Amino acid sequence: MEDSPAWEPEPWGSSGGWPAPREARTGPSLSSVLNELPSAATLRFRGPGVLPWGALEEKEDRQRSIQAFAESAPKEMQEPCPSRELPWPMQARRAHRQRHARDQVAQGSGSRTAHWALLLRRSKEKVREGLRTMQPWAWTLKRIGGQFGAGTESYFSLLRFLLLLNVLASVLTICMILLPTWLEGAPPGPPAPNASALCGFYNPHPQGLVAFSTQLFNLLSGEGFLEWSPLFYGFFPPRPHLAITYLCSVFAIGLLYLLLILHRSVSGLKQTLLAESGALTSYSHRVFSAWDFGLSGEVHVRLRQRIIHYELQVELEEAVVRRRAAVRTLGQEATVWLVRLLLNLVVLALLGAAFYGVYWATGATVELQERPLVQEMPLLKLVVDYLPSIFISVVNFVLPPVFSLIAPLEGYTRSRQIVFILLRTVFLRLASLVVLLLSLWNQITCAGDAEAVACKTCGYNYKELPCWETRLGQEMYKLLLFDLLTGLAVILLIQFPRKLLCGLCPGALGRFARTQEFQVPDEVLGLIYAQTVVWVGSFFCPLLPLLNTAKFLLLFYLKKLTLFSTCSPASRTFRASTVNFFFPLVLLLGLAISAVPVLYSIFLIPPSKLCGPFRGQSSIWAEIPNSICTLPQTVQNFLFFLGTQAFAVPLLLISSILMAYTVALANSYGRLISELKHQIETEAQNKVFLAQRAVALSSANGTL
């Protein structure tokens, strides 16, 4: 083999096209050029003894590089990092992996611990991947995201998450309430028709032959044969162990809800912070890093293309809105804020009218039920019973589209519009539910007047509501059922006929009935409203989570059918990271609102004296101290110690210290991230500077 000729650099512009040797070069030296870099100003932060850029001769630099590589190679060989992380060819990685395995076997017992730790870590990864593949409707959600955008996909992801919550709550309810009820013996039947007590009488079963229409109306209203069934609170007998498990199940399910929603909120918060900071929303990230090269199949490739297309579309739309907002004059800015103020006043007026209507409908229901005409006609009685639910559903059906029309007029970005629509709609839905609960509270407690004639004897209005817990459960049952019937009616009577009209009438009528879009804010708030109703009513109607599981399961397939058959991709998309954090945040708000009436009922309102597992107690919570008193003295002292200041104050101090440490750690990480971002910006400036100098030198050599 012939010896290759030694390489001799030649000057720029010569026939060889190689750069000139150091002695023959003309113009600035490499050291002077490097010292002009923007990053050269950071040399003073590197400490003493650090030479400036380009101070080493090329030969010395080459020798030092070879020596550094020779020193680093054995270190890389000794490090136990995975082979796939090494910058080596595949054959070298395979040899390294085999050699590392032989070294572990040769080391003996010391390496066995690391080997088992590695196996455990890999097993966890495989289990996590297996659970991820076992998630229901994973391919359906991916298809929805590729065809209709990540915002629509987030709705179905939230629906799947709520379905999981209801399944877990149903399992806990069956294990902690239903099974103990039958394991201690068959529950007793309803009270006798002629049985009376100090707090009146309670007869949930009608006497005589009941017509089929009445049975159907009882099924829709929760009365009749359903009133004394495991569906409602009043059915369960007053047994000490059952009362404890009944109350503990409520707190266990609430804690489970809280932990799972917090976990989802934290993961969504990470995505939102990254998206809002601009680290993951640059176009270069979408273009160069968003593609998955492991995709196989034309369908998967097209779905991924559509997802990237929607992400870029969102970024471009929001960039246009921000650019317009940046060039507004002072007069234009004042006009925009004046328009926003007027629109918010209109929204407040609509919300106030809706709340007053809900309050009126709840009060009118009690008055209309006492009229003889209503009692004689079962259909009219059913309409009167559903009057609050009907009014709430009408308000929730009419006002959200109005909010959707108002939001674009305020001049916000699409993601910000979604947030405002969600805030207004959730305030409408949840506040309507709060107004309904306040109206029922006025009926149960005589508007908080314990000295009233109807409430003085038993602490609650026993004449109108002998079993007020079951009445609350019936109201939540009717709200849930009517919400399902309303959703079915909208799908069958509005959306599908609209699609047929749009396809059969290509003229002006078809354009008027144009293809509809999937309204993510309205649909999401419908889910959160239904889940909040379940949270409020699960204490008074224990099987409500099970009914909601069946409802959400049916709703998923109905919405999927509606989406693919009647809806078109949204003309204006929005960033999914915003809603991925905002949806669980609204869920937390709904959980907090639902906890207030439940805890108020447990601690302050006396339980019904004629039904339920807590009958005869001064309050529902009184069963817990009574049960603690039956435990051994040591256990009693420990449990009562947990409620004293001697335990609460140290716990508060430790929590404060941990919180301060977490905040300080987060701030240090934030400063580190800022420094790294500044370093990236400096490197970018270096590249631009070098490119400009290279162009300048090339043009100068070309003129020579």
Side-chain angles (χ1 to χ4, degrees):
M1 183 176 181
E2 298 181 358
D3 295 333
S4 58
W7 172 69
E8 293 292 338
E10 298 181 6
W12 286 100
S14 61
S15 58
W18 297 100
R22 191 173 187 86
E23 297 79 6
R25 292 179 188 170
T26 59
S29 63
L30 178 62
S31 176
S32 62
V33 172
L34 292 179
N35 284 330
E36 295 179 10
L37 289 174
S39 60
T42 63
L43 284 174
R44 59 180 179 271
F45 299 108
R46 303 182 189 178
V50 179
L51 296 175
W53 293 104
L56 294 175
E57 294 292 334
E58 292 183 359
K59 185 175 181 180
E60 296 177 359
D61 195 7
R62 188 181 305 110
Q63 291 177 356
R64 176 168 292 189
S65 300
I66 295 173
Q67 183 180 0
F69 179 78
E71 293 177 356
S72 63
K75 293 180 180 179
E76 288 185 355
M77 297 291 292
Q78 294 175 3
E79 290 179 354
C81 61
S83 302
R84 62 177 179 271
E85 297 181 3
L86 297 175
W88 294 352
M90 292 299 297
Q91 294 180 354
R93 293 182 185 179
R94 190 178 298 110
H96 173 262
R97 185 168 57 251
Q98 295 174 356
R99 183 166 51 255
H100 186 63
R102 287 195 302 267
D103 293 341
Q104 284 186 339
V105 174
Q107 288 176 3
S109 60
S111 64
R112 291 178 183 176
T113 304
H115 178 67
W116 284 108
L118 178 62
L119 288 179
L120 181 61
R121 186 174 67 251
R122 290 179 178 177
S123 300
K124 289 181 179 179
E125 292 177 358
K126 290 182 179 179
V127 170
R128 193 177 294 110
E129 291 179 0
L131 293 176
R132 192 179 298 112
T133 56
M134 290 175 59
Q135 288 182 350
W137 309 308
W139 166 245
T140 301
L141 264 63
K142 186 180 297 185
R143 182 185 173 193
I144 291 172
Q147 188 165 344
F148 295 93
T152 307
E153 180 186 358
S154 63
Y155 164 80
F156 286 90
S157 177
L158 179 66
L159 179 56
R160 183 178 62 181
F161 174 70
L162 293 179
L163 184 62
L164 172 64
L165 292 183
N166 285 277
V167 169
L168 295 177
S170 302
V171 172
L172 287 177
T173 301
I174 293 173
C175 294
M176 300 183 70
I177 297 179
L178 294 184
L179 289 181
T181 301
W182 270 272
L183 288 177
E184 294 186 14
N194 54 356
S196 60
L198 182 63
C199 295
F201 65 94
Y202 176 54
N203 182 22
H205 279 185
Q207 300 300 316
L209 184 63
V210 180
F212 175 76
S213 58
T214 305
Q215 295 280 19
L216 180 61
F217 296 150
N218 290 337
L219 178 64
L220 295 176
S221 61
E223 299 176 355
F225 68 95
L226 280 182
E227 188 169 350
W228 194 264
S229 67
L231 184 62
F232 294 109
Y233 164 93
F235 168 80
F236 297 95
R239 297 169 180 169
H241 295 89
L242 178 61
I244 295 298
T245 57
Y246 193 102
L247 194 56
C248 290
S249 68
V250 175
F251 290 107
I253 293 172
L255 182 62
L256 179 66
Y257 283 143
L258 180 62
L259 293 178
L260 291 178
I261 296 174
L262 282 177
H263 179 268
R264 188 177 178 90
S265 300
V266 169
S267 60
L269 177 61
K270 294 178 183 178
Q271 299 175 4
T272 303
L273 292 178
L274 288 174
E276 296 297 334
S277 64
L280 295 181
T281 55
S282 60
Y283 305 117
S284 59
H285 168 74
R286 305 297 179 193
V287 174
F288 296 108
S289 304
W291 186 256
D292 185 4
F293 289 92
L295 295 176
S296 60
E298 185 179 358
V299 178
H300 296 80
V301 171
R302 288 184 177 179
L303 286 177
R304 189 59 186 170
Q305 289 175 346
R306 290 171 181 169
I307 291 174
I308 297 175
H309 169 265
Y310 280 118
E311 291 176 352
L312 290 173
Q313 182 179 351
V314 170
E315 296 297 334
L316 292 173
E317 288 179 354
E318 296 196 353
V320 169
V321 175
R322 286 192 292 265
R323 192 180 300 115
R324 291 175 181 173
V327 298
R328 287 178 188 154
T329 62
L330 183 60
Q332 292 174 344
E333 194 72 23
T335 303
V336 169
W337 281 104
L338 180 61
V339 170
R340 290 175 181 174
L341 178 62
L342 295 177
L343 292 176
N344 281 284
L345 291 177
V346 173
V347 169
L348 290 177
L350 293 174
L351 291 174
F355 298 154
Y356 177 78
V358 173
Y359 185 83
W360 171 84
T362 307
T365 301
V366 180
E367 299 178 0
L368 293 175
Q369 286 176 344
E370 298 176 355
R371 297 187 178 182
L373 179 63
V374 175
Q375 296 178 358
E376 294 174 359
M377 301 179 63
L379 181 59
L380 186 58
K381 183 177 182 300
L382 180 66
V383 173
V384 171
D385 291 340
Y386 268 91
L387 187 59
S389 303
I390 292 173
F391 197 89
I392 291 176
S393 298
V394 170
V395 168
N396 293 335
F397 182 75
V398 173
L399 289 187
V402 177
F403 297 155
S404 300
L405 294 175
I406 290 176
L409 302 177
E410 295 177 306
Y412 293 112
T413 62
R414 179 61 174 168
S415 299
R416 189 70 60 85
Q417 291 177 25
I418 294 296
V419 170
F420 276 99
I421 294 173
L422 287 172
L423 283 174
R424 291 161 180 168
T425 310
V426 74
F427 185 73
L428 169 67
R429 290 179 177 267
L430 298 184
S432 301
L433 184 60
V434 169
V435 171
L436 174 63
L437 292 174
L438 287 176
S439 302
L440 294 173
W441 174 79
N442 286 333
Q443 299 177 22
I444 295 170
T445 63
C446 301
D449 186 9
E451 299 299 327
V453 177
C455 298
K456 188 175 183 179
T457 304
C458 300
Y460 63 94
N461 192 353
Y462 67 91
K463 293 182 179 179
E464 295 182 0
L465 303 170
C467 187
W468 62 267
E469 297 93 345
T470 298
R471 171 63 187 277
L472 268 175
Q474 288 173 345
E475 290 296 330
M476 299 302 108
Y477 171 79
K478 288 186 286 188
L479 284 175
L480 181 69
L481 193 60
F482 193 78
D483 185 66
L484 175 61
L485 296 177
T486 304
L488 292 176
V490 170
I491 292 174
L492 298 177
L493 302 179
I494 296 179
Q495 294 182 350
F496 279 108
R498 181 179 177 181
K499 177 65 176 179
L500 293 176
L501 186 63
C502 183
L504 296 178
C505 302
L509 186 59
R511 289 192 301 271
F512 175 76
R514 62 187 182 278
T515 305
Q516 56 194 343
E517 297 179 359
F518 194 82
Q519 300 296 330
V520 176
D522 300 342
E523 301 291 344
V524 167
L525 267 300
L527 292 180
I528 296 175
Y529 168 76
Q531 189 61 48
T532 306
V533 169
V534 172
W535 286 335
V536 173
S538 58
F539 179 77
F540 313 103
C541 183
L543 295 184
L544 207 59
L546 186 61
L547 297 178
N548 201 38
T549 301
K551 174 192 171 182
F552 280 166
L553 191 63
L554 176 63
L555 191 65
F556 184 90
Y557 289 103
L558 285 176
K559 292 296 181 182
K560 175 189 171 184
L561 177 63
T562 304
L563 182 68
F564 285 104
S565 59
T566 65
C567 296
S568 61
S571 58
R572 300 180 64 194
T573 56
F574 57 94
R575 186 182 291 126
S577 59
T578 302
V579 295
N580 286 335
F581 167 69
F582 194 76
F583 290 169
L585 187 64
V586 177
L587 269 179
L588 283 176
L589 178 62
L591 183 62
I593 291 176
S594 64
V596 173
V598 174
L599 294 178
Y600 186 87
S601 303
I602 291 175
F603 287 99
L604 297 179
I605 302 180
S608 298
K609 302 298 187 292
L610 301 175
C611 66
F614 302 97
R615 66 186 77 170
Q617 300 289 339
S618 59
S619 67
I620 295 177
W621 179 252
E623 188 67 34
I624 299 296
N626 295 338
S627 301
I628 292 177
C629 293
T630 60
L631 298 175
Q633 188 64 34
T634 305
V635 180
Q636 292 184 36
N637 295 335
F638 175 73
L639 292 177
F640 285 119
F641 170 74
L642 296 180
T644 60
Q645 295 180 355
F647 175 77
V649 173
L651 180 63
L652 180 61
L653 291 177
I654 294 173
S655 302
S656 302
I657 293 172
L658 291 177
M659 187 178 298
Y661 171 75
T662 305
V663 171
L665 191 63
N667 291 335
S668 64
Y669 285 156
R671 288 192 296 269
L672 178 60
I673 291 172
S674 300
E675 293 177 1
L676 292 175
K677 287 182 178 180
H678 179 69
Q679 184 178 354
I680 292 174
E681 293 176 357
T682 306
E683 294 296 332
Q685 294 174 2
N686 290 345
K687 294 178 181 179
V688 172
F689 175 78
L690 290 175
Q692 292 175 351
R693 293 302 301 268
V695 171
L697 290 175
S698 299
S699 60
N701 291 329
T703 57
L704 293 176

